[in-house]
Amino acid sequence: MTDQCRVFRPGDDINPFILPAWMWNSYEWGAVTYAQPGSQRPHLVRALRNLRAGKTAWEPLHVTIVRQLRLYRSKLHVFLADGTGASYSGFPAVKNCADTIRHLADVIKEYEQRISDTSQKAALQKIITAAEALFAKRVTPNTKTPGKFNYTDFNALDFEPFMPLFSAAEGTFPPVADDAQISEDAPIPFDINQLADHIDDLCADSASSTNLIAFLTLRIRSMLADLRMRQVIAPEEPLEFHKWLESFIGANEAENGQIAIIDLSLVPSDVTHIVVAVLARLVFESLQRYHNHHEDGKPLPTVLVLEEAHTFVRHVGNNESWSESSANLCCEAFERVAREGRKFGLGLVLSSQRPSELSSTVLAQCNTFLLHRIVNDADQKLISHLVPDNLGGLLRELPSLPSRHAILLGWATPIPILAEIDELPKQHRPQSADPDFWEVWTGADARPVDWSKITKDWVGEIS
């Protein structure tokens, strides 16, 4: 086994860490840009699909109208097909559904005003009337709080009338070919610098849409303006997908080593979660496809080691709601790895000082534990639920364990044992020693500071 190790860092001259944004799927783009489902996300998804397919944003008006009709028909069909009612009952689902109906009326109304054909106008007007009537039926002003609204649950019967209206309206326009079967999630390279402008172009003929996507495009441009982020997601040199996989996951251990360390300390904190989520998903999906394409169906043994795991695999408490944020997508990616990774040869090692903050789904899949000193009551309580009852006496020793000692138990050992961790040479130890407060404050150990250099690096004036 080779002892070679690759260390990837943003801006590194030898092994730069790069994760081109064209590798992100639409869910990850939606999370990092906070794209709203009812208004901004359709434009984002369409822009991603167009850029991956090499399309331009400009198209005849009738093509744009037909594509909008198809988009809203598919969205309302989801509500119609959901027999459980979960998609359109309860808050905030009912509000999201109402917003979709309101936005449908606004968008179709704009297009209806721009065309002159009487049959087309009449067909679109029927959709507008039906949408406005449904919105008024399910959304009423709150008499006690001005500016607030009361929402009542939608049902499947509310959406049935729209389907023939969409078909009739589309029939009044010249035929429009279906979009090419290129997914917005496919890792096909495109110029990320064009994304914000492409979304603007898609909405250039609609004043209301332009206002809705202003924050979306601002977020994308802000990401690209950050020099440290840009060198990660928008590298100047083009990169082939298989070359990235060979570099980060590995092709030949004798050439690039079996261990790859990715240092994310210089990645902006507000996008760290999405970067880690994309990495986890790409590793999982690449090994899944390797397994499916291997002639013998054999996996490629790989292990993901996640330091400070409670930051990326955080448990959602009972009083918290699940949302499609970067942090939750990150947690969801590792939960999938924990549940399904083993069959594709993908293992997971979590290192955390706060196990009580970890996802219960991930913890339930762990079969071996290496327990160091634990003094927090919540963490001790969690650990006691993960191990057999007859080990309670052993776990009482956790608060008093000395440094470099741990209790090993689970699948890796037939009986729990007390293990002593080898001491690393000084050059290999993490920089986590206690600060030298007294030596620095008394002047025994000088700490010269060049704030000018630090601030220049901070604002991006130097690399």
Side-chain angles (χ1 to χ4, degrees):
M1 180 180 294
T2 178
D3 59 357
Q4 289 181 316
C5 177
R6 296 158 288 154
V7 180
F8 297 93
R9 295 187 179 91
D12 188 89
D13 294 332
I14 300 176
N15 288 321
F17 171 63
I18 54 177
L19 188 68
W22 53 261
M23 294 183 181
W24 302 8
N25 64 30
S26 60
Y27 294 99
E28 292 152 356
W29 269 111
V32 79
T33 58
Y34 308 113
Q36 297 302 308
S39 54
Q40 298 171 338
R41 176 149 311 174
H43 297 292
L44 173 63
V45 169
R46 184 179 169 194
L48 290 171
R49 188 185 299 120
N50 286 354
L51 289 173
R52 295 189 198 279
K55 294 182 179 180
T56 63
W58 302 106
E59 57 189 10
L61 178 60
H62 80 274
V63 175
T64 301
I65 296 175
V66 170
R67 294 195 194 284
Q68 287 290 334
L69 291 172
R70 291 174 179 175
L71 171 65
Y72 281 101
R73 179 167 54 196
S74 63
K75 294 182 71 171
L76 296 191
H77 182 72
V78 172
F79 297 141
L80 181 62
D82 184 6
T84 66
S87 295
Y88 46 86
S89 62
F91 195 87
V94 66
K95 180 181 183 300
N96 293 336
C97 184
D99 289 344
T100 299
I101 298 298
R102 177 181 53 80
H103 191 249
L104 165 65
D106 292 342
V107 169
I108 300 302
K109 186 179 297 184
E110 278 200 35
Y111 290 126
E112 186 270 338
Q113 295 172 352
R114 296 174 54 196
I115 57 179
S116 56
D117 185 280
T118 55
S119 61
Q120 294 172 354
K121 291 176 73 71
L124 293 182
Q125 185 58 50
K126 290 181 180 179
I127 297 176
I128 298 169
T129 302
E132 291 178 341
L134 178 56
F135 185 85
K137 176 182 177 182
R138 298 300 181 188
V139 183
T140 56
N142 188 318
T143 56
K144 295 182 180 180
T145 307
K148 299 293 184 180
F149 297 89
N150 297 322
Y151 298 86
T152 55
D153 292 345
F154 291 81
N155 59 62
L157 295 177
D158 291 332
F159 308 109
E160 287 183 352
F162 286 93
M163 300 304 143
L165 293 179
F166 284 129
S167 299
E170 183 175 341
T172 64
F173 292 93
V176 175
D178 290 334
D179 288 341
Q181 296 301 311
I182 292 182
S183 170
E184 61 273 8
D185 299 328
I188 300 174
F190 65 89
D191 185 0
I192 183 60
N193 299 297
Q194 297 182 15
L195 181 57
D197 291 339
H198 192 88
I199 296 175
D200 283 336
D201 291 342
L202 288 174
C203 303
D205 58 354
S206 173
S208 62
S209 296
T210 301
N211 294 332
L212 286 171
I213 57 88
F215 177 76
L216 173 65
T217 55
L218 176 63
R219 176 66 174 166
I220 295 172
R221 292 188 173 100
S222 298
M223 286 173 51
L224 294 175
D226 189 316
L227 297 181
R228 285 179 175 170
M229 189 60 192
R230 184 178 179 83
Q231 63 188 356
V232 173
I233 68 172
E236 295 181 0
E237 296 295 327
L239 177 68
E240 296 180 80
F241 192 29
H242 75 276
K243 292 292 186 182
W244 186 92
L245 294 173
E246 289 177 356
S247 178
F248 284 84
I249 298 180
N252 186 335
E253 291 84 358
E255 295 178 2
N256 62 10
Q258 291 181 322
I259 300 176
I261 299 175
I262 300 177
D263 183 355
L264 300 177
S265 58
L266 294 181
V267 174
S269 58
D270 57 338
V271 294
T272 302
H273 283 96
I274 201 67
V275 167
V276 175
V278 175
L279 279 171
R281 178 184 60 81
L282 289 175
V283 172
F284 177 84
E285 292 186 359
S286 62
L287 296 182
Q288 188 180 43
R289 284 166 171 76
Y290 176 92
H291 176 271
N292 294 338
H293 285 83
H294 197 281
E295 58 183 11
D296 297 326
K298 293 182 178 179
L300 178 64
T302 305
V303 176
L304 284 173
V305 182
L306 193 61
E307 180 67 26
E308 300 292 346
H310 54 272
T311 303
F312 306 105
V313 194
R314 191 176 69 87
H315 169 68
V316 178
N318 295 331
N319 296 326
E320 300 178 70
S321 60
W322 183 269
S323 63
E324 204 169 86
S325 66
S326 300
N328 290 338
L329 280 183
C330 186
C331 180
E332 191 176 58
F334 284 102
E335 287 182 344
R336 187 184 183 195
V337 170
R339 290 193 307 264
E340 308 173 30
R342 190 176 295 108
K343 71 181 74 170
F344 304 113
L346 180 58
L348 183 62
V349 175
L350 305 177
S351 174
S352 173
Q353 298 177 12
R354 294 304 309 273
S356 61
E357 297 182 7
L358 293 173
S359 163
S360 57
T361 299
V362 174
L363 282 175
Q365 300 298 320
C366 294
N367 52 31
T368 299
F369 299 90
L370 188 62
L371 307 175
H372 291 263
R373 182 169 60 233
I374 296 178
V375 297
N376 182 272
D377 291 341
D379 295 330
Q380 292 183 37
K381 183 177 180 181
L382 173 72
I383 295 299
S384 66
H385 292 152
L386 297 175
V387 301
D389 294 338
N390 58 0
L391 298 180
L394 185 61
L395 295 182
R396 283 195 291 269
E397 303 297 326
L398 286 176
S400 59
L401 281 179
S403 299
R404 297 180 26 243
H405 285 72
I407 297 174
L408 176 65
L409 56 96
W411 182 84
T413 176
I415 60 173
I417 60 174
L418 180 64
E420 182 176 358
I421 313 300
D422 291 339
E423 186 170 6
L424 287 172
K426 187 175 182 179
Q427 66 271 22
H428 293 158
R429 297 176 193 170
Q431 298 179 1
S432 58
D434 294 334
D436 301 325
F437 290 106
W438 184 254
E439 288 78 3
V440 175
W441 291 348
T442 59
D445 188 359
R447 289 288 196 278
V449 178
D450 184 355
W451 289 117
S452 175
K453 181 178 179 180
I454 292 173
T455 55
K456 287 181 179 180
D457 177 69
W458 197 339
V459 300
E461 293 183 11
I462 61 175
S463 58

